[in-house]
Amino acid sequence: MTEIPQSHRLSPKPLDELLAEVHSQMNPGLSAQGRVHSLLQAVLDIGGDLDLATVLRRLTEAAAHLAEARFAGLGVIGEDGSFTEFIPVGFTQAQAERISRFPYGKGVLSTPLRERAPIRLSDLREHPDFSGFPEGHPGMSSFLGVPIQVRGEIFGNLYLTEKENGGEFDEDDETIVTALATAAGVAIENARLYEETRLRERWLGATTEITTRLLSGADTDEVLAYLASQAREIGGADTAVIMLPDPHARGHLFAEIADGPIAQEILGTPVDIHDSTCGWVYESGEATAIPDLRQANCPMLTHRGYGPGLLVPLGTPGNTRGVLLLGKLSERAPFDANTRRMLHAFSVQAGVALELAEARRDSERIVVLEERDRIAKDLHDVVIQRLFASAMTLMSTVRLINSPEAEERVQRTIDELDSTIREIRSTIFDLQNPPSRRDTSLRGRILRLAENTAHSLGCHPGVSLDGPIDASVPDEVGEQLLAVLGEGLTNVARHARATEVHVSVTVEETSVTDRPTTLTLTVTDNGVGLPEEGRRSGLRNLDQRARALGGGFSAGRGEGGGTVLVWKVPVSVPDPEV
């Protein structure tokens, strides 16, 4: 609202003093007494409600009734002096639909605000600031404009046109409408404070709900979707968008969450951080209002009929998590200062809650990793050592056994212990490497490649990984291994007609310094087996890859049928001090 200079402020008066002044200035008679009674009743009616929209409409209707005007309007003044809201009275539904737009508060309508005084005109079209009626607007001549003040500030202007008897508005009309506007200021202030309190309670409730959900372990995307819907609803916006940075596409924000009628159409839209208002808000951590989103380099809303916008950082300056964008359709009023303040506080609290939730998840993740590391150490230092000792004891016992059957059983037990030790070592590796790291490791890529071929194979291949695969296999050898595995599984899918497929990748460690560590890939299936004649260009390719690395390749029938592919290459063990 626009501040009134002290010299121009209308002095607020008690209601009884206003009524006395109105009564003294009116022409004597029953009509004047009736109008004073109507004024008092109007003031009581206006003050009987705390809903601001209802109070403003009742005020406009009461002014039209008291001044016997066919049409009335109340324009609420914004920070830039134009109307943020206009309440028309006296228009039929058909008349309202024909009007292309309602006033913005410019021209002759700004005179009461500019001059800080009422204005009466016999024909508003003769005023030098008159700029014509909007398309579809009915013609008007007689005019009365009165400013409305609330606690020393101009809240809006009250307009009356077209005296019902065809005459002009007189001094009595001006006096009684001015008294009504002055007396209604208290009701407007009460309704405005009530609305702000109720709005603040809704923002506080939404903030509490977001914090509770995040700290109770709810999914972050679900909480952000709730944040967007609440911001759109409470802030009176048509669309809400949460834009977040993508670590894999630096320099851009992406519309990750959206709420509103066009939500699905704008999801995933990128915005340049370095060449947009959205990016400026993200980097500076400061909120900003935008009169027209088309001027903000915001492609998701630029060509969709959106005008007023509000950009708010999620978080605090220097630690912004993302940006919340609220947009209104172009014909709607901009976001007021009160909404901006409350939404900014809301977004800061939401950003802090997101940070706390992430810190809590990091703490929980550290606890889990520490526990995994403890289990891995126990397996390595206790379980494996005991199994290894048991296997060594059994191996030394074999030569003391005279029964071939007993010797076979003990040897089988030794083999099973050896296999168990290998599996536990593989488990230890998995425990010491979190999932995010395993996804990019050679082990993870082997598992993912095997899983991706399940559809073409018609079955899920079994995968066995043994030894320090990630630690011992260089990147270039790992790439060759993946290429060979992919080609081998593709051959099985094309030719073998198998129902079972097994993949084994083993790194055989050795303590002999002059003997290199060996990487072995084995692909086994129960299919029709290799044909004795036919094209083998794919197998030759696998053999060439092995020879290029100083290894070898073989393919043949399995003992129980099917095919066994063995691809074996040497790998060097990296120096642990490097």
Side-chain angles (χ1 to χ4, degrees):
M1 293 189 293
T2 304
E3 180 73 24
I4 306 175
Q6 188 69 32
S7 59
H8 290 95
R9 289 182 180 175
L10 300 173
S11 57
K13 301 179 181 180
L15 182 56
D16 55 352
E17 191 175 331
L18 279 169
L19 293 175
E21 181 180 337
V22 170
H23 197 286
S24 65
Q25 292 186 10
M26 283 187 171
N27 294 325
L30 183 61
S31 175
Q33 184 177 3
R35 294 179 74 183
V36 171
H37 182 272
S38 297
L39 171 62
L40 178 59
Q41 186 62 49
V43 171
L44 294 175
D45 290 342
I46 293 170
D49 202 297
L50 287 176
D51 181 69
L52 183 59
T54 302
V55 169
L56 296 180
R57 179 159 291 279
R58 286 182 179 178
L59 171 59
T60 310
E61 292 173 345
H65 173 69
L66 290 171
E68 298 178 343
R70 289 181 56 198
F71 303 105
L74 191 154
V76 179
I77 304 298
E79 295 177 337
D80 60 353
S82 60
F83 292 158
T84 60
E85 186 178 359
F86 188 82
I87 301 172
V89 168
F91 295 90
T92 65
Q93 182 68 26
Q95 287 175 321
E97 291 176 353
R98 285 196 297 268
I99 299 175
S100 60
R101 63 171 177 81
F102 281 101
Y104 293 144
K106 305 299 182 182
V108 66
L109 298 186
S110 66
T111 303
L113 171 65
R114 186 173 61 251
E115 298 183 358
R116 309 297 198 270
I119 177 176
R120 279 187 290 122
L121 300 171
S122 58
D123 191 341
L124 62 85
R125 293 169 295 186
E126 297 177 357
H127 193 278
D129 292 334
F130 179 74
S131 57
F133 295 111
E135 183 180 351
H137 197 287
M140 297 176 178
S141 56
S142 56
F143 176 83
L144 171 61
V146 176
I148 304 171
Q149 72 165 353
V150 176
R151 291 188 179 272
E153 296 180 348
I154 288 290
F155 176 82
N157 288 334
L158 188 59
Y159 305 105
L160 305 171
T161 60
E162 295 298 284
K163 187 82 169 178
E164 287 185 353
N165 57 13
E168 301 178 10
F169 294 103
D170 55 23
E171 187 175 350
D172 291 347
D173 296 322
E174 179 182 323
T175 301
I176 199 167
V177 172
T178 301
L180 176 65
T182 304
V186 176
I188 292 174
E189 176 68 6
N190 291 338
R192 189 172 61 177
L193 291 175
Y194 175 75
E195 185 176 79
E196 289 181 4
T197 301
R198 187 174 58 179
L199 197 62
R200 189 175 291 109
E201 288 179 353
R202 295 187 65 187
W203 284 122
L204 182 60
T207 302
T208 303
E209 178 66 18
I210 288 171
T211 303
T212 301
R213 291 190 181 191
L214 283 171
L215 297 183
S216 62
D219 181 70
T220 303
D221 287 345
E222 177 185 333
V223 177
L224 288 177
Y226 175 80
L227 185 154
S229 66
Q230 290 298 298
R232 183 178 77 90
E233 180 183 345
I234 303 175
D238 295 298
T239 293
V241 185
I242 293 180
M243 290 175 288
L244 303 174
D246 188 339
H248 302 294
R250 297 187 178 183
H252 287 83
L253 296 171
F254 291 86
E256 298 290 347
I257 307 290
D259 188 79
I262 61 171
Q264 296 302 317
E265 301 175 32
I266 61 180
L267 285 175
T269 305
V271 176
D272 192 334
I273 290 180
H274 305 296
D275 188 28
S276 66
T277 309
C278 300
W280 178 85
V281 171
Y282 174 73
E283 292 187 324
S284 67
E286 298 181 13
T288 185
I290 304 173
D292 192 341
L293 285 168
R294 290 171 294 184
Q295 302 172 4
N297 191 15
C298 183
M300 67 189 74
L301 298 179
T302 296
H303 304 296
R304 301 181 188 273
Y306 282 78
L310 183 58
L311 289 165
V312 183
L314 292 176
T316 55
N319 193 24
T320 305
R321 324 287 298 183
V323 175
L324 171 62
L325 165 63
L326 295 184
K328 290 185 179 180
L329 294 173
S330 57
E331 66 270 13
R332 297 188 59 195
F335 295 93
D336 58 36
N338 187 45
T339 300
R340 294 202 299 270
R341 286 194 302 270
M342 291 186 181
L343 183 61
H344 192 197
F346 171 70
S347 65
V348 169
Q349 292 297 324
V352 171
L354 286 170
E355 185 175 350
L356 289 175
E358 184 173 332
R360 181 184 59 80
R361 286 192 294 270
D362 288 343
S363 299
E364 293 176 349
R365 192 178 297 114
I366 289 174
V367 171
V368 171
L369 292 177
E370 289 177 347
E371 181 64 14
R372 291 165 65 100
D373 189 56
R374 183 191 66 79
I375 295 172
K377 287 181 179 179
D378 288 346
L379 287 173
H380 182 273
D381 298 340
V382 180
V383 179
I384 285 185
Q385 298 305 320
R386 289 180 179 178
L387 290 175
F388 186 75
S390 299
M392 294 296 293
T393 301
L394 290 175
M395 289 178 65
S396 63
T397 307
V398 169
R399 62 176 177 269
L400 303 177
I401 299 176
N402 297 322
S403 171
E405 182 179 355
E407 181 180 356
E408 181 184 354
R409 289 184 180 182
V410 172
Q411 187 61 51
R412 190 183 309 125
T413 302
I414 294 173
D415 293 341
E416 289 178 355
L417 286 173
D418 185 61
S419 177
T420 301
I421 290 173
R422 291 174 181 270
E423 291 178 1
I424 292 177
R425 283 179 174 174
S426 180
T427 302
I428 291 173
F429 175 84
D430 288 339
L431 287 172
Q432 292 177 333
N433 292 272
S436 59
R437 181 176 165 187
R438 291 201 302 270
D439 290 342
T440 57
S441 67
L442 181 56
R443 283 173 171 259
R445 295 171 70 186
I446 292 170
L447 292 171
R448 191 161 53 249
L449 176 59
E451 184 66 24
N452 290 341
T453 59
H455 179 73
S456 59
L457 289 172
C459 63
H460 287 274
V463 180
S464 173
L465 304 176
D466 184 27
I469 297 174
D470 289 318
S472 300
V473 180
D475 292 342
E476 60 273 14
V477 177
E479 294 297 331
Q480 293 292 332
L481 171 70
L482 293 171
V484 170
L485 176 59
E487 191 165 347
L489 292 175
T490 300
N491 288 337
V492 173
R494 288 178 178 176
H495 310 296
R497 299 198 295 274
T499 59
E500 291 185 12
V501 180
H502 297 279
V503 175
S504 172
V505 179
T506 303
V507 171
E508 182 183 354
E509 296 179 282
T510 177
S511 59
V512 182
T513 55
D514 59 349
R515 180 182 171 189
T517 299
T518 303
L519 169 66
T520 304
L521 166 65
T522 306
V523 180
T524 307
D525 67 73
N526 66 345
V528 298
L530 288 174
E532 296 183 1
E533 296 181 0
R535 297 178 58 189
R536 298 200 175 190
S537 57
L539 298 182
R540 283 196 298 271
N541 184 31
L542 303 184
D543 184 62
Q544 290 173 0
R545 288 179 182 273
R547 291 180 181 277
L549 296 173
F553 169 77
S554 64
R557 287 182 173 271
E559 294 182 2
T563 305
V564 178
L565 304 181
V566 180
W567 189 82
K568 183 180 295 187
V569 295
V571 293
S572 58
V573 180
D575 187 348
E577 298 182 357
V578 177

